[in-house]
């Protein structure tokens, strides 16, 4: 029996999805291999050009097992898992005919493919541990590089030689990408680094001062930046900080100013709302929470969210100009009331 969270099941399926050999004539390539070693559940996919392995740690240790699902069954499993909150437990039982997937929302039976699937561990291990050689360069297909975006954002890459696989390795995703051959143009069959340098001589020149890209971060600071790649915790801390500041200002500093009291109350209320919604989103889908917070942080830093709000309001069928006019009238009314009040100051 294998138990993992719905979030992790969705994650490993999403991370290997771009590497499935959908247009291959070989049936085993148009599929995903599932391989549990009792500690991790691995999902593996390849089209012979790239190969990706994504793993998820199990909630509790289980028995090792392996089986393969064709693309139709994989799509069914993805749709079923998408209907669960991220923290929900998913139990998988593997048998000779397939896997039974169970949660508190129901049960799903998926049929396994017949036939052998290549042993992926020796392939990946050989590429990862091959001695590094001094290579003059390699040729990679950038469209294939884009497949790795579905996995971890920060990965290490290396290659033991110009004609060996590029290794792409992260904490829970590892894979290989084969170099490509391009006939003609700058990248000839035997093109080397020196040939490319020569091809760019007219644009770059051969003499002059030496310079490097500016980089004020030390390696240790780089590691800290990578650790902050998940912005959810920092954003949530800022939201709670705003709640504390707003409630403190409301009770201590705004007692004599109604307008300030309203501002403090609104700021605190919306900060608390952001905190609760963010925690709910992170519980349901941590990857989506990270993506939303990263985009939101960029929008706040750009400072153009006011204009964007008008566009979003119009797209939703609202009338933002009427909102603005009503608010302006309200502020004028409040100003007039304050000016009409008798002077309460004592001599």
């Amino acid at each position: 029996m294998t138990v993992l969270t719905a979030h992790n099941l969705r994650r490993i399926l999403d991370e290997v999805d771009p590497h499935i050999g959908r247009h291959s004539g070989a049936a085993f390539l148009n599929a995903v291999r599932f391989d549990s070693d009792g500690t991790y559940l691995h999902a593996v996919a390849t089209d012979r050009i790239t190969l990706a392995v994504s793993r998820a740690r199990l909630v509790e240790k289980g028995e090792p097992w392996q089986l393969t699902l064709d693309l139709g069954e994989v799509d069914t499993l993805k749709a079923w898992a998408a209907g669960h909150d991220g923290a929900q437990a998913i139990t998988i039982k593997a048998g000779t005919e397939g896997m039974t997937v169970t949660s508190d929302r129901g049960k799903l039976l998926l049929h396994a493919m017949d036939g052998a699937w290549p042993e992926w561990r020796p392939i990946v291990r050989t590429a990862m541990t091959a001695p590094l050689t001094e290579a003059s360069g390699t040729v990679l297909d950038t469209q294939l590089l884009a497949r790795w975006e579905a996995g971890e954002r920060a990965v290490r890459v290396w290659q033991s030689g110009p004609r060996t696989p590029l290794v792409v390795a992260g904490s829970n995703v590892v894979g290989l990408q084969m170099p490509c051959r391009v006939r003609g143009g700058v990248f000839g069959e035997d093109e080397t680094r020196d040939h490319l340098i020569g091809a760019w001589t007219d644009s770059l020149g051969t003499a002059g001062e030496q310079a490097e890209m500016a980089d004020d971060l030390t390696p240790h600071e780089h590691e800290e930046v990578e650790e902050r790649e998940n912005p959810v915790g920092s954003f949530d801390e800022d939201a709670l900080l705003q709640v504390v500041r707003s409630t403190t200002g409301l009770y201590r500093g705004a007692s004599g100013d109604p307008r300030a009291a309203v501002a403090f109350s609104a700021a605190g209320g919306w900060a608390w709302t952001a905190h609760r919604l963010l925690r709910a989103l992170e519980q349901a889908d941590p990857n989506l929470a990270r993506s939303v917070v990263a985009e939101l942080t960029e929008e706040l830093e750009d400072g153009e969210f006011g204009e964007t709000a008008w566009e979003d309001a119009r797209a939703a069928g609202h009338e933002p100009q009427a909102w603005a006019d009503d608010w302006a009238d309200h502020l004028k009314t409040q100003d007039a009331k304050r000016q009409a009040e008798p002077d309460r100051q004592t001599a």
Side-chain angles (χ1 to χ4, degrees):
M1 183 173 67
T2 299
V3 182
L4 73 166
T5 64
H7 160 67
N8 275 333
L9 178 58
R10 294 198 301 262
R11 176 181 61 79
I12 63 174
L13 292 173
D14 288 342
E15 289 175 343
V16 301
D17 183 81
H19 305 270
I20 297 173
R22 288 177 168 82
H23 306 293
S24 172
F28 78 91
L29 298 180
N30 192 28
V32 171
R33 179 69 166 177
F34 292 86
D35 187 323
S36 174
D37 61 7
T39 301
Y40 290 97
L41 175 62
H42 305 82
V44 190
T46 182
D47 64 352
R48 285 201 176 100
I49 303 173
T50 65
L51 180 149
V53 182
S54 178
R55 68 180 184 181
R57 183 178 289 275
L58 303 180
V59 174
E60 56 187 53
K61 287 186 175 294
E63 295 296 323
W65 56 269
Q66 302 85 32
L67 60 78
T68 307
L69 297 182
D70 66 26
L71 186 56
E73 296 288 68
V74 170
D75 288 341
T76 299
L77 178 59
K78 289 176 66 175
W80 186 83
H84 292 71
D85 294 335
Q88 281 188 278
I90 304 294
T91 301
I92 300 176
K93 292 183 178 180
T96 56
E97 296 185 356
M99 67 166 65
T100 302
V101 191
T102 308
S103 74
D104 58 7
R105 295 194 176 187
K107 181 184 294 186
L108 182 67
L109 177 62
L110 301 167
H111 297 284
M113 291 178 57
D114 296 327
W117 209 88
E119 290 293 333
W120 58 271
R121 285 184 174 86
I123 297 173
V124 176
R125 184 172 61 247
T126 299
M128 291 186 74
T129 61
L132 299 179
T133 61
E134 185 174 348
S136 61
T138 189
V139 182
L140 297 172
D141 187 327
T142 56
Q143 290 185 338
L144 299 183
L145 286 173
R147 294 179 177 182
W148 303 105
E149 289 184 342
E152 297 171 10
R153 184 171 179 180
V155 295
R156 293 190 182 277
V157 297
W158 67 87
Q159 194 173 21
S160 62
R163 297 185 183 278
T164 61
L166 177 76
V167 177
V168 181
S171 299
N172 287 303
V173 179
V174 67
L176 310 176
Q177 177 169 329
M178 293 301 296
C180 61
R181 296 179 179 179
V182 181
R183 301 183 183 279
V186 175
F187 297 106
E189 182 69 19
D190 299 317
E191 207 65 68
T192 66
R193 175 174 175 267
D194 290 337
H195 285 94
L196 283 173
I197 293 174
W200 277 88
T201 297
D202 290 343
S203 296
L204 302 177
T206 58
E209 63 177 348
Q210 300 295 308
E212 296 181 355
M213 289 186 66
D215 188 355
D216 297 330
L217 297 176
T218 66
H220 178 67
E221 289 170 332
H222 271 298
E223 292 175 3
E224 291 179 346
V225 170
E226 289 181 5
E227 291 174 359
R228 290 196 299 267
E229 281 294 336
N230 183 352
V232 175
S234 176
F235 194 92
D236 187 56
E237 181 182 0
D238 289 343
L240 290 173
L241 174 63
Q242 183 60 51
V243 173
V244 172
R245 286 179 174 175
S246 298
T247 53
T248 301
L250 175 63
Y251 294 117
R252 293 186 182 179
S255 57
D257 187 344
R259 183 174 294 186
V262 171
F264 278 124
S265 178
W270 283 111
W272 179 250
T273 301
H275 160 70
R276 291 299 303 274
L277 291 177
L278 178 59
R279 283 306 179 195
L281 179 59
E282 187 178 32
Q283 183 79 358
D285 193 331
N287 280 349
L288 179 59
R290 293 176 63 174
S291 174
V292 168
V293 169
E295 293 177 2
L296 182 57
T297 300
E298 290 184 3
E299 293 170 356
L300 293 173
E301 290 176 350
D302 289 342
E304 298 180 355
F305 54 87
E307 291 83 351
T308 305
W310 278 65
E311 297 172 2
D312 289 350
R314 292 194 189 98
H318 305 302
E319 298 182 4
Q321 186 60 58
W323 292 348
D325 293 341
D326 290 344
W327 183 245
D329 292 341
H330 170 74
L331 294 178
K332 289 180 180 178
T333 301
Q334 294 300 314
D335 288 338
K337 287 182 179 180
R338 277 192 297 273
Q339 292 176 3
E341 290 179 353
D343 189 358
R344 297 180 180 179
Q345 293 183 352
T346 59

